[in-house]
Every structure is written in structure tokens, then in C-alpha cells.
Amino acid sequence: HQVVAGMFSLQTDGVFVVQAVCDPDKREAAEKAALGVIADLKKSGPTDAQINRAKRSLLASQISGLQTARGRASDMGGNWLLTKNLNFSRDYLNAVSSVDAEDLVRVAKKYLQDDRLNVTSLNPVGTLEKTAAAAQATQKSEVQKFTLSNGLTLLVREDSRLPLVSVSATFRGGVLAETAENNGITKLLAKSLLKGTKSRSALEIAEEIEGVGGSIGSDSGNNSWSVSAEVMAPDLPLAFDVVADVIINPAFKASELELEKQSMLASIKAEDEQITSVARNALREKFFGEHPYSLRTSGNAERVATLTDKDLAAFHAELAVAKNGVLAVFGDVKATEVLKLAEKAFGSMKSGSPAFAKVDPPTMPTSALDVFKPMDKKQAVLMFAFPSPDLLSPDRPAMELVNEASNDLGSRFFDRIREKMGLAYFVGAASLTGPVPGCQIFYLGTDPAKLDEVTKEFRSEISDLASGGLTEEELVRAKKKLLGGEAIQNQSNGAFAASVSLDELLGLGYDHYLKRAEAINAVTLEDTKNVTSKYLGSPGYVKSTAGPAPTQSTN
């Protein structure tokens, strides 16, 4: 499902590590294969292409981290702390540039020896047959669904592996519930909830949860906002009490609100200096026009500055209602006890109604549109956005696999544009979706002098994908990567609770994860060809560029 290699370099010693996550019956084969790769490296060495890829990867990673003042400060601080040389990163990259195949073989033979090898594995308890049977039994009843008296949906997962409990309260909201006049209010709401209630100060909220070794946080996005906490199992009543209090009874004190607004404005200002963010925000605005998806999740600075406690209270009163949310409690619990605690803590919440129960879809571009944002940077960022299906569309699984196949180190874009042609520092894909259709994004970073050439090549590769769909190799890899990544992520009760809550909230259903593998594995090559032709072959798309100087538009 996942395999990576890396190293921990200390001042006096270090460790080279290969890590893999796999099915239990493939554990020995995975270890054998990993050691076989190392043996081949010591015997034959890497190819020139592999060395160049590694060098460029290190260079791109270093440059990417230097885009912000914070990144540059962190780089200098780390350099000085560990080496007493402010320019160590630069010197290190210069040294890396001179490494050849003989150097790698010499070092591999010196350090990657059998008598230095340590192998550690974490395996399922019991026999593989018992584990498989238990997993199958769990699949039928892993998550239980209840409805409280006020209409709040409650999801419970009983998992006694560790004495921990994750509580996640998720509500419809985000930019989909905002307007151009209040853009940023969802994020301000999420940040302000933890800054005091009618009975607790911000300090008391933090001290109560952290005092029992727990954590609490809030978040917001395109389609939702949430409050979550994690505590030891005996402290679940406390977590319920605090989470319910911050959601139902926020104080929205003027002094705290002003501090959060200033923090948001500083974040927005920092985002306006990040070239990738600038290109992405311009892309969304151009692609979605007057639709809420055109708005920034971080907010509009002018609008955030004018938001008041009354604005926040009114927005909260509309969205923080029972029928607009899902409460998930995953961990070392019993469903019957959780139901009683939830009714006690959240029973006073008003029923209300779901936000954006009927959402108007965005008007998609009907022709090629172009937007350019001039920035005084030494690199340029190029993005293309095409229409994509909504979450409930039957086209969604195939489109997810197209996105996955376009967003890794083995993608056709990475291989040709970055590796073979050397035209990009980084290249990838992303998607924006929800209850209404969104967009599929392809992006890259490049030398401004190469922008015209890379634009033509990038557009050509997207056109090839649109007309032919995925190859069999791409489809197989994308399925394994997507499902493997989700399986790894869902090992955490907190991440699993958030994922299942969002599925239930946006209409997929709390048991969507049970059908997930079947839906993804059912996608065929013909399915990918149909969706790429339908969406990526659309005459309406947006090209967004941010960089040091305007260049001739290439659609």
C-alpha cells in the first residue's frame, strides 16, 4: 500500500530506513523485495536518470521551503543550530550536485551491510484467518448511527484497541455558505469558538482539555466547519461537556474577536505572497465566477476586517443547529453510554435545518479563459482547471482515480515534463468538489524563461489524457495508492471519524467507506476514458499563471 525510503542524519551518526505498509500475507515478500532493491543498488548502482531525479527532488524541496520568510528563517535557524554554518543548506546542495553513480555504490556498500540491518514489523494479533474473519465481522457493524431528540445525527464506533476517544462535531458551512460580502466568516467562526464561551474563558477551555492530556481544535473548509477533541476514555464526559459548550454557547467577545481577525489578516497577507496560493485563488475566482466556490477559504481581507460580533452570532445561529450537523464518537466507548452523554450535552441545541439543502450549481466556463497575476518571484506557477463531477455523481470514482494517477512521482506529467524534459520544478493535480460540481486542477512550477514551452507541453499532455483516459498501469497504480492511503489514514480514530462524518453530512452516507473499495475497483479503463473526454475534453477551462512578467497566452 505504501513504501518510502529516507534517512535521519544526526551530528554523530544516522539511520537509513525503508518503511512499508502491506497486507499481512505479503509482509515477507515486501521485505525480500526491499532488500533486493538495496542489493541491486550495491551491485549495479543507479542510472543517470535516477540520480538526476533525486538531485532535482532535493533542490525543488529546498527551494519550495524558502518561499516564505518563515521558511527562510527556519532554514537559517536549523543550519546554525546543527552546523554553525548559516549557508549549510546551500553548501549541502552544492555537494549533492557533484555526486555520481560510483559515489552511491561506494556508500551503499559501506553502510547498507547485512550485519548493520535491523528489521522491525508490526503484525496483526492471531492467525491471518482469524484476523480476516474479525475484519469481515467488523465491516458489518463498525459504525452505528443514531438520531438525537433534536435531530442531531450521532455516529459511534466502538474500538477498544487503545483507551482513547475521538469526538468530532462537523457542520455544513464553509465557503459554500458564504457570500462575497462575508467571505472568511466561517474560518473566523471556527477560530473564535475556542476563544471563550458564556461560562469558560479561552484559557479555561485549553486547561480543562490539556489538563487531562487531551487536545481540542477547530477547522473550516469549502463545505464544512468542525470542532474536534481527543481524550483518554475516562475523560469522555469532560470532552462532551467542553465541545458542546464551545459549539452551543460561544461568547464572541470583542477583544478575542479582534485578535482572531488580526491573526486571519496576517495569514491572508502571507498567503498573498505565496505564488502557488495566488495562482490558485485567481484560478478559482475566474473558473467559478459569482458562485461561492470562487471565494477564498482563508477569507477576503477587506471583508474580514469589517466583520463584527453580531455578524458572527447571526452566522453561528444559522449553522450551529442539530439538523445541520453530525457528531461522531470513535474509540474505547460503548454506544449506549455515548448516546446518553450526547443527549445530555447536545440536547439543548436548537433543531434548525440543514444549510444549503438545495445548492445552485456553478456556471461552468464555455470557452478557454486566461488569468495572469504578476509577482516579483524567480519562478512561475501554471495551473489549468476543468469541470469535474459532484460528490454524488456516478462519474466521481473514475475522476478520483484520474486525479490520483496525475498526482504522484510516477504520473505521466511528472515523468515527461519534469524528468525527461526538465521543464518543471514540481507538477501535480488536485480536485475541488462537494454537493455541486467543482473543478479538476493540474499545476506545475517552472522557470519563467520556460513558461511558454512548458505551457504547450502541459496542455498537450492534458489533451492526450482527455482523449485516451488512463493506461492500465496508471489505473492499477491509482487504485492501490488511493485505497491504500485511505486505509492507512483510517487507522486513526480521529481521521476516520472526520471522514465518516463528512460522508454522512454531504449525502454519501455514514457507511460509504464500506462501499468505497468496491466502487473504486469497479472502475474500468473505458470509464476513465469516458470521464476524461467528458470533463477534461470540455472547451471551457481556465488557465491561471502567476510569475514575474506576462508572457504570451498559450491555450
Side-chain angles (χ1 to χ4, degrees), residues 182-200:
N182 66 5
N183 182 211
I185 193 170
T186 307
K187 184 169 185 177
L188 183 59
L189 169 67
K191 290 169 67 70
S192 299
L193 289 175
L194 301 182
K195 298 306 176 182
T197 70
K198 295 171 183 177
S199 60
R200 288 178 171 93

Side-chain angles (χ1 to χ4, degrees), residues 145-154 248 321-325 327 338-352:
K145 178 180 176 180
F146 305 91
T147 302
L148 302 189
S149 58
N150 57 5
L152 180 65
T153 298
L154 171 65
I248 300 173
V321 293
K323 292 184 179 179
N324 190 47
L327 175 65
V338 171
L339 186 57
K340 292 178 183 178
L341 290 171
E343 193 69 61
K344 178 181 178 181
F346 288 89
S348 64
M349 176 179 279
K350 295 180 180 179
S351 292

Side-chain angles (χ1 to χ4, degrees), residues 188 191-192 195 256-264:
L188 183 59
K191 290 169 67 70
S192 299
K195 298 306 176 182
E256 293 287 355
L257 180 59
E258 187 59 31
L259 286 174
E260 291 309 314
K261 285 168 61 175
Q262 293 304 316
S263 174
M264 278 186 65

Side-chain angles (χ1 to χ4, degrees), residues 315-375:
F315 192 71
H316 169 266
E318 182 180 353
L319 296 185
V321 293
K323 292 184 179 179
N324 190 47
V326 173
L327 175 65
V329 182
F330 286 23
D332 190 12
V333 297
K334 295 297 181 184
T336 52
E337 297 175 5
V338 171
L339 186 57
K340 292 178 183 178
L341 290 171
E343 193 69 61
K344 178 181 178 181
F346 288 89
S348 64
M349 176 179 279
K350 295 180 180 179
S351 292
S353 57
F356 49 81
K358 179 173 172 40
V359 192
D360 292 329
T363 301
M364 297 296 179
T366 56
S367 61
L369 302 177
D370 199 342
V371 58
F372 178 82
K373 291 292 182 179
M375 296 189 74

